Amino acid sequence: MGTPYRSGAFKRSNDSTRLVITTIMGMVFGYFVGISFPSVSLTKINLPSSLISTLDYAFNDDHRRAIERTFPENLGSGSTPLTPKIYVPSNPRGAESLPPGIVVSESDFYLRRLWGEPSEDLTKKPKYLVTFTVGLDQKYNIDSAVKKFSEDFQILLFHYDGRTTEWDQFEWSKRAVHISVKKQTKWWYAKRFLHPDVVAAYDYIFIWDEDLGVEHFNAEKYMQLVKKHGLDISQPGLEPNNGLTWQMTKRRGDREVHKDTEEKPGWCSDPHLPPCAAFVEIMAPVFSREAWRCVWHLIQNDLVHGWGLDFALRRCVEPAHEKIGVVDSQWIVHQVIPSLGNQGQPMNGKAPWEGVRERCRNEWAMFQDRLSNADKAYFAQHGKTRV
C-alpha cells in the first residue's frame, strides 16, 4: 500500500517541476521577444493568460506599492479615487492647493552634490551673497576682488560677454555660480536672477561692478561695521580722486561710517534726502535681505541701467537717513573702465559708448516720471496730499 503512495507523490512533484520550468522558460522567451520587438504588446502574443498576469504583477508591483505609499488617499472604495481637498489661502500664490508642510517658497545658490544624503551636502553655508557682472578682460581685477571674501561669502558671476569656461583657471571659480547672457547689465541680471525668494538665505547681498579696486577693503570688517551702525543699504567709501560723482560717497578719513554730507548749494532741499543723505551710488551697493526685498520690486523690468535708482532707495528703509550710509574705513577705488559702453553698437555715426550713455540718461528721466506718476496715482486714490 505504501508504494503507490510514494509513486503518486513523485508524479505530482515531477508535474510541479515541469510547471516551474515552463514558467521560467516562458518568462525568458517573453524577455527576448520584448528586446527584439519593443513595440509588440504582450496581449498580442499567444501566451497563457496566467503567465501574462504573472509578468504584469512582477513588472508593476513595485510601482503600485510606491503609489500606495505616496497617495494613500487614492485607495478608497469604488471606481472613483478619493482626492485631497486642500485650499490654503495663506500659501504663496499658486500653491494654495498644497499642504503647507510641503511648500518650499525660498531658495538659494548653494551648490549641491548629485549623490549622498541631502542633509550632508553642505559643510558650510555662506551667509552673504556677492555678485559681480563681468567680462573676461577684467578677470585679474575680479580675481583680486574675490580673494577679499572668505567662505562666508557665496560668489556669483554674471557674464555679459558669454565667456565662462576661461574663468576655471582660478580655483575659486570652480566653486562660484556662473550665469551667462550676452550684452546685459547687472540690473537686468538682478531683476531676473536675484528674486528675494531666491536670495532669502543670505543676510546681505553685494551687487558690484567689475572695475573696483579693493586693496584697502576687508569684507569681514565691512560686515562688522554695517551691523554695528545699523545700515540696511550701504557702500564702501570711494577714494576721493577716482571716479567720484557725489560728495556723499567720498571717503572720510576720520571715521568708520558717515550718513550725510554737504553738497553744492541748491542740490539738497532737505538735509535728510538725497544726495545729501539716504543715498549711495549704484556701482557697489550692499543690501540687507529685508531692504533687497523692497528694492527688487523697485527695479523696472525694462530699464536696465539703473540710473535714478540710487535716489529712490530711501523708500525701502525707514528712517532712511539712519539706515543708509557709507563705510569709510573699508574703502574702494572706482577704476572707471568703460567696459559697458563697449557692449553697445554704433548708430547714426555715434560710437557704441555714446548710444549707451544716451540710453542711461533717458532711462533716468523715464524712471523719475514713472515714480512721480505712481505717487500721484496713489495719493489721488487714497484722498491724500503728498508732502
Side-chain angles (χ1 to χ4, degrees):
M1 296 296 292
T3 302
Y5 177 79
R6 287 194 297 272
S7 177
F10 176 78
K11 182 178 181 180
R12 285 193 298 272
S13 176
N14 200 27
D15 291 342
S16 299
T17 300
R18 283 198 299 270
L19 178 60
V20 170
I21 293 174
T22 301
T23 301
I24 293 174
M25 291 180 64
M27 294 177 66
V28 172
F29 175 72
Y31 171 76
F32 284 108
V33 169
I35 293 176
S36 303
F37 306 100
S39 62
V40 176
S41 171
L42 284 175
T43 59
K44 295 181 180 180
I45 299 176
N46 189 19
L47 295 176
S49 59
S50 59
L51 178 58
I52 293 175
S53 298
T54 302
L55 293 174
D56 285 343
Y57 185 84
F59 292 148
N60 296 322
D61 186 45
D62 287 343
H63 184 59
R64 184 184 299 111
R65 288 178 182 174
I67 292 176
E68 290 174 357
R69 288 195 302 269
T70 307
F71 303 107
E73 68 275 4
N74 288 342
L75 303 179
S77 59
S79 59
T80 303
L82 300 177
T83 56
K85 301 296 183 182
I86 295 177
Y87 183 77
V88 185
S90 59
N91 278 358
R93 188 176 66 176
E96 294 87 353
S97 62
L98 300 177
I102 198 62
V103 173
V104 181
S105 59
E106 298 177 346
S107 186
D108 54 63
F109 286 109
Y110 299 150
L111 302 182
R112 296 283 180 172
R113 304 175 303 176
L114 302 183
W115 63 93
E117 293 293 328
S119 61
E120 300 173 356
D121 284 347
L122 305 174
T123 58
K124 186 178 183 62
K125 290 185 177 181
K127 296 184 292 184
Y128 316 111
L129 178 66
V130 181
T131 75
F132 292 97
T133 303
V134 303
L136 191 64
D137 289 344
Q138 303 306 320
K139 63 182 179 180
Y140 294 115
N141 198 51
I142 294 298
D143 178 50
S144 298
V146 168
K147 288 177 179 176
K148 292 289 185 173
F149 297 93
S150 70
E151 291 183 353
D152 279 333
F153 298 81
Q154 171 74 57
I155 303 299
L156 168 59
L157 299 188
F158 297 127
H159 298 270
Y160 61 74
D161 62 354
R163 302 174 69 181
T164 59
T165 57
E166 292 93 332
W167 291 82
D168 285 346
Q169 66 181 281
F170 305 115
E171 186 61 31
W172 57 261
S173 177
K174 300 172 185 177
R175 301 185 301 273
V177 176
H178 299 261
I179 298 176
S180 176
V181 184
K182 290 185 177 181
K183 296 184 180 292
Q184 300 302 320
T185 72
K186 71 175 181 179
W187 297 110
W188 183 93
Y189 281 111
K191 188 65 173 179
R192 286 149 184 85
F193 298 103
L194 300 182
H195 187 280
D197 289 344
V198 172
V199 300
Y202 307 100
D203 295 338
Y204 290 84
I205 298 97
F206 291 61
I207 303 182
W208 281 20
D209 290 349
E210 62 180 342
D211 59 342
L212 304 176
V214 294
E215 180 181 355
H216 305 282
F217 177 81
N218 180 287
E220 279 77 12
K221 292 181 179 179
Y222 183 89
M223 294 313 308
Q224 292 172 5
L225 292 172
V226 162
K227 296 173 183 178
K228 174 183 176 181
H229 292 274
L231 300 179
D232 279 327
I233 301 176
S234 64
Q235 75 162 77
L238 293 177
E239 201 282 329
N241 298 321
N242 290 78
L244 186 69
T245 303
W246 307 100
Q247 290 298 311
M248 177 64 185
T249 55
K250 180 179 179 179
R251 171 179 171 257
R252 313 270 178 89
D254 59 347
R255 64 195 68 187
E256 291 180 335
V257 166
H258 73 270
K259 301 180 181 181
D260 56 19
T261 192
E262 291 185 4
E263 265 292 356
K264 298 176 182 178
W267 280 32
C268 298
S269 59
D270 186 314
H272 288 168
L273 294 179
C276 287
F279 178 78
V280 296
E281 294 188 71
I282 58 173
M283 73 176 69
V286 180
F287 303 95
S288 70
R289 180 195 299 113
E290 294 75 16
W292 178 249
R293 182 165 290 277
C294 171
V295 172
W296 184 88
H297 287 87
L298 184 63
I299 299 171
Q300 304 294 287
N301 198 57
D302 58 332
L303 305 185
V304 297
H305 290 289
W307 279 36
L309 185 64
D310 37 16
F311 281 81
L313 295 177
R314 63 184 180 85
R315 294 169 177 260
C316 287
V317 292
E318 181 65 35
H321 65 280
E322 291 292 337
K323 294 190 175 184
I324 299 179
V326 175
V327 178
D328 298 288
S329 60
Q330 298 300 317
W331 49 283
I332 60 176
V333 175
H334 186 202
Q335 298 169 338
V336 198
I337 298 173
S339 54
L340 187 62
N342 294 336
Q343 296 298 305
Q345 288 185 341
M347 293 183 64
N348 300 322
K350 296 182 179 179
W353 69 267
E354 291 181 287
V356 171
R357 180 54 61 94
E358 184 178 358
R359 173 155 178 165
C360 288
R361 295 193 181 99
N362 291 341
E363 285 194 5
W364 190 354
M366 294 171 68
F367 182 76
Q368 288 178 307
D369 289 343
R370 290 183 189 183
L371 193 55
S372 177
N373 292 336
D375 280 339
K376 293 176 182 178
Y378 172 83
F379 291 117
Q381 180 180 1
H382 291 82
K384 298 179 181 180
T385 302
R386 182 177 180 181
V387 294

